[in-house]
Amino acid sequence: MNKDILVIGTGISGLTFAIKVAEENPKLSLTLISKRDINEGNTRYAQGGIAVVRNLKKDSTKKHIEDTLIAGDGACDTKVVKFVIEEANKRLDELIQWGTAFDKKEEQLDLGIEGGHSENRIVHYKDQTGKQIQEVLTAKVKSFSNITILENHTLVDLITDHHSKSNMNRCYGAYVISQEQEEIIKISAKITVLSTGGAGSLYAYTTNPSVATGDGLGAAYRAKVKMDGLPFVQFHPTALRDKIDHNVFLITEAVRGEGGKLRNSLQERFMLKIDPRGELAPRDIVARGIQKQIQEQEDDFVLLDCSEISKEQWKSHFPTIYNICKSIGVFLPEDPIPVVPAAHYFCGGIIVNEHSESSLKGLYAIGECSATGLHGANRLASNSLLEALVFAHRAAIDCIKSLSEPLPQKSFYNKLPEWNGDDYSKNFTIQNVKVLRKQLQEIMTKYVGIFKTDNGLKLAEKKINNIYVTVQSLYNKNKLTNGLCELRNMVSIAYLLTKQAQEIKENKGVFYNQNYV
Ligand code: SIN
């Protein structure tokens, strides 16, 4: 398959990018790859919303910039923070024009508040903002005849100089598994875009869906693309305890914005003793506060007391949470919600410039898999969908421009080699893959989670390395499957993250090593 552009990942960043390119130049051919169906990914589960300054009587871009810099704990790129926040309104208007609905109050957008924000500025649709955006973008992307969508296809590796025996320091597309055909296909492309999200699945509990295995991060690592900030993994303070399995259900921060209060098993509001902003302090502070409370008390959860939020408000603003809680016998607003912190967002990733281009020519990264400089050491709530929109727009413009510059000839792409792997017909790996994935999650949670120590990190590195060796051996001897590819990426990223974590000698934002307190 020979394409102008290959987009891997179909959340808000990949879809927005594809729509913009296809609209601007209908002659360009694009292929979109999704590991499951096109709608499955982190975007769909985003509850809170998009942070945008709309109420100019009270709010200002200056305040939003300040809040972002404070949350980022001195590690943000101020220039990036400034342009993202200044471009926010244009990108939001575009999304509305494409048909996305957001909640309104008296004809104006209803603006919620979340941790770390000094004003109400979260544009949302009930507690289903991501789902609403995902559905609109999916419908729009399907209307373009120059976009081919391949669902159930898994990224294996990026095609680089290593495969083509050239030295242009470029990316030439990717090898992907067609899960239905059970074969690895080559998709050559002049431009490749990673919009593959983060790797919440590295941890025992995550708000991410199980597809969040860091596939783009793993492939970029193997292609020697520059990466940074992996140890800055943000834990969301409030995931629903009673639903606990690997992928837990998020209780949006907007619930705390509407008056939800955190209480320990003695019913005390412990957050006020930790930070004057209480439940609405930046989420690294709240997540650590909850985790510490859990370590000091018998119950392995804390309570989110939502009695200040009326039943009507629950039904209109948070219908999904209301119904999920009801299904497990938590009747809102009377009953408190049992909550725990869970891995939520990778603040670091593939280093990109202001057009989302990585250190490898022809390779862009947008959204959670990228490190743009916006989030610094801790992402401010609801800044991620905003970042995806702004950078997808910038990447689309830059990418169209770069396609008019001199590029390798068509014959070069035609000659790129097919996937060179032994053709094992049997697959003995499924059970092994599941066991190793679980072991990895346990190690990451215990030693590389909210609280870290030098000794814990050292031990984790050793244990992860052992898993890596086993995975490499499975990879070399078995038919390549989706599960094995995911595990290969997870173990690589876990290793790199743990190595990088040992180099950090001060606590900042979400990074917390108890030896540096
Ligand atoms: C939430 O709704 O609390 C999550 C929003 C975000 O992660 O920005």
Side-chain angles (χ1 to χ4, degrees), residues 3-26:
K3 293 287 173 177
D4 290 314
I5 301 170
L6 169 63
V7 181
I8 305 167
T10 54
I12 184 171
S13 42
L15 293 180
T16 306
F17 170 87
I19 290 167
K20 296 218 152 217
V21 171
E23 245 175 14
E24 189 63 28
N25 189 343

Short mmCIF file of all heavy atoms in Angstrom, two decimals, residues 3-26:
data_model
loop_
_atom_site.label_atom_id
_atom_site.label_comp_id
_atom_site.label_asym_id
_atom_site.label_seq_id
_atom_site.Cartn_x
_atom_site.Cartn_y
_atom_site.Cartn_z
N LYS A 3 0.87 5.37 0.18
CA LYS A 3 -0.01 6.51 0.50
C LYS A 3 0.80 7.79 0.65
O LYS A 3 2.00 7.74 0.91
CB LYS A 3 -0.74 6.23 1.83
CG LYS A 3 -1.71 5.09 1.75
CD LYS A 3 -2.95 5.48 0.97
CE LYS A 3 -3.84 4.27 0.75
NZ LYS A 3 -5.08 4.59 0.06
N ASP A 4 0.11 8.92 0.54
CA ASP A 4 0.80 10.17 0.85
C ASP A 4 1.00 10.26 2.36
O ASP A 4 2.08 10.59 2.83
CB ASP A 4 -0.04 11.37 0.39
CG ASP A 4 -0.08 11.48 -1.13
OD1 ASP A 4 1.00 11.35 -1.73
OD2 ASP A 4 -1.18 11.65 -1.68
N ILE A 5 -0.08 9.96 3.09
CA ILE A 5 -0.02 10.14 4.54
C ILE A 5 -0.63 8.93 5.26
O ILE A 5 -1.71 8.46 4.90
CB ILE A 5 -0.79 11.42 4.96
CG1 ILE A 5 -0.19 12.65 4.27
CG2 ILE A 5 -0.74 11.61 6.47
CD1 ILE A 5 -1.01 13.90 4.42
N LEU A 6 0.10 8.46 6.27
CA LEU A 6 -0.41 7.38 7.12
C LEU A 6 -0.61 7.94 8.53
O LEU A 6 0.32 8.51 9.11
CB LEU A 6 0.62 6.24 7.15
CG LEU A 6 0.39 5.14 8.18
CD1 LEU A 6 -0.92 4.39 7.92
CD2 LEU A 6 1.57 4.16 8.19
N VAL A 7 -1.84 7.81 9.04
CA VAL A 7 -2.13 8.29 10.40
C VAL A 7 -2.41 7.07 11.27
O VAL A 7 -3.31 6.28 10.97
CB VAL A 7 -3.37 9.23 10.41
CG1 VAL A 7 -3.65 9.74 11.82
CG2 VAL A 7 -3.18 10.39 9.45
N ILE A 8 -1.66 6.94 12.36
CA ILE A 8 -1.83 5.76 13.23
C ILE A 8 -2.47 6.21 14.54
O ILE A 8 -1.85 6.92 15.32
CB ILE A 8 -0.47 5.07 13.47
CG1 ILE A 8 0.18 4.75 12.11
CG2 ILE A 8 -0.64 3.80 14.30
CD1 ILE A 8 1.63 4.36 12.17
N GLY A 9 -3.72 5.82 14.74
CA GLY A 9 -4.45 6.25 15.94
C GLY A 9 -5.60 7.16 15.55
O GLY A 9 -5.42 8.11 14.78
N THR A 10 -6.79 6.86 16.06
CA THR A 10 -7.98 7.58 15.59
C THR A 10 -8.76 8.26 16.71
O THR A 10 -9.99 8.22 16.76
CB THR A 10 -8.91 6.61 14.82
OG1 THR A 10 -9.18 5.48 15.68
CG2 THR A 10 -8.31 6.14 13.53
N GLY A 11 -8.04 8.91 17.63
CA GLY A 11 -8.70 9.77 18.63
C GLY A 11 -8.80 11.18 18.08
O GLY A 11 -8.67 11.41 16.86
N ILE A 12 -8.99 12.12 18.98
CA ILE A 12 -9.22 13.52 18.56
C ILE A 12 -8.07 14.06 17.70
O ILE A 12 -8.31 14.76 16.71
CB ILE A 12 -9.49 14.43 19.79
CG1 ILE A 12 -9.83 15.85 19.36
CG2 ILE A 12 -8.32 14.44 20.76
CD1 ILE A 12 -10.32 16.74 20.50
N SER A 13 -6.82 13.69 18.02
CA SER A 13 -5.71 14.28 17.27
C SER A 13 -5.60 13.70 15.86
O SER A 13 -5.50 14.45 14.89
CB SER A 13 -4.39 14.14 18.03
OG SER A 13 -4.28 12.88 18.62
N GLY A 14 -5.65 12.37 15.75
CA GLY A 14 -5.52 11.74 14.43
C GLY A 14 -6.68 12.13 13.51
O GLY A 14 -6.47 12.45 12.33
N LEU A 15 -7.89 12.12 14.04
CA LEU A 15 -9.06 12.42 13.20
C LEU A 15 -9.07 13.89 12.79
O LEU A 15 -9.35 14.22 11.63
CB LEU A 15 -10.36 12.08 13.95
CG LEU A 15 -10.60 10.58 14.23
CD1 LEU A 15 -11.92 10.38 14.96
CD2 LEU A 15 -10.58 9.75 12.96
N THR A 16 -8.77 14.78 13.73
CA THR A 16 -8.76 16.22 13.39
C THR A 16 -7.71 16.49 12.32
O THR A 16 -7.97 17.21 11.34
CB THR A 16 -8.48 17.08 14.64
OG1 THR A 16 -9.41 16.73 15.65
CG2 THR A 16 -8.57 18.55 14.34
N PHE A 17 -6.54 15.90 12.49
CA PHE A 17 -5.47 16.08 11.51
C PHE A 17 -5.95 15.61 10.13
O PHE A 17 -5.83 16.32 9.13
CB PHE A 17 -4.23 15.29 11.94
CG PHE A 17 -3.17 15.21 10.90
CD1 PHE A 17 -2.20 16.20 10.79
CD2 PHE A 17 -3.14 14.15 9.99
CE1 PHE A 17 -1.23 16.14 9.80
CE2 PHE A 17 -2.17 14.08 9.00
CZ PHE A 17 -1.21 15.08 8.90
N ALA A 18 -6.53 14.41 10.08
CA ALA A 18 -6.95 13.83 8.79
C ALA A 18 -8.01 14.69 8.12
O ALA A 18 -7.96 14.95 6.91
CB ALA A 18 -7.47 12.42 9.02
N ILE A 19 -8.98 15.17 8.91
CA ILE A 19 -10.06 16.00 8.36
C ILE A 19 -9.46 17.27 7.74
O ILE A 19 -9.80 17.67 6.63
CB ILE A 19 -11.09 16.36 9.45
CG1 ILE A 19 -11.87 15.11 9.85
CG2 ILE A 19 -12.01 17.49 9.01
CD1 ILE A 19 -12.70 15.25 11.12
N LYS A 20 -8.54 17.88 8.47
CA LYS A 20 -7.96 19.15 8.00
C LYS A 20 -7.18 18.95 6.70
O LYS A 20 -7.30 19.75 5.78
CB LYS A 20 -7.05 19.73 9.07
CG LYS A 20 -7.81 20.08 10.31
CD LYS A 20 -7.33 21.33 10.94
CE LYS A 20 -8.46 21.97 11.69
NZ LYS A 20 -8.44 23.41 11.60
N VAL A 21 -6.40 17.88 6.64
CA VAL A 21 -5.60 17.64 5.43
C VAL A 21 -6.52 17.30 4.26
O VAL A 21 -6.38 17.83 3.15
CB VAL A 21 -4.58 16.49 5.67
CG1 VAL A 21 -3.91 16.09 4.37
CG2 VAL A 21 -3.54 16.90 6.69
N ALA A 22 -7.50 16.43 4.52
CA ALA A 22 -8.39 15.99 3.43
C ALA A 22 -9.22 17.16 2.91
O ALA A 22 -9.49 17.25 1.71
CB ALA A 22 -9.30 14.87 3.93
N GLU A 23 -9.60 18.05 3.80
CA GLU A 23 -10.39 19.22 3.38
C GLU A 23 -9.54 20.17 2.54
O GLU A 23 -9.98 20.69 1.54
CB GLU A 23 -10.88 19.96 4.63
CG GLU A 23 -12.39 19.91 4.77
CD GLU A 23 -12.86 20.54 6.08
OE1 GLU A 23 -12.08 21.23 6.77
OE2 GLU A 23 -14.02 20.32 6.41
N GLU A 24 -8.33 20.36 2.99
CA GLU A 24 -7.43 21.33 2.36
C GLU A 24 -6.97 20.84 0.99
O GLU A 24 -6.84 21.62 0.05
CB GLU A 24 -6.22 21.54 3.29
CG GLU A 24 -5.29 22.65 2.95
CD GLU A 24 -5.94 24.02 3.00
OE1 GLU A 24 -6.90 24.20 3.78
OE2 GLU A 24 -5.47 24.90 2.24
N ASN A 25 -6.71 19.54 0.87
CA ASN A 25 -6.19 19.01 -0.39
C ASN A 25 -6.79 17.64 -0.70
O ASN A 25 -6.25 16.60 -0.31
CB ASN A 25 -4.66 18.92 -0.32
CG ASN A 25 -4.06 18.59 -1.68
OD1 ASN A 25 -4.77 18.13 -2.57
ND2 ASN A 25 -2.77 18.83 -1.83
N PRO A 26 -7.93 17.62 -1.44
CA PRO A 26 -8.62 16.35 -1.72
C PRO A 26 -7.79 15.39 -2.58
O PRO A 26 -8.16 14.22 -2.73
CB PRO A 26 -9.89 16.79 -2.46
CG PRO A 26 -9.97 18.26 -2.29
CD PRO A 26 -8.60 18.77 -1.99
#
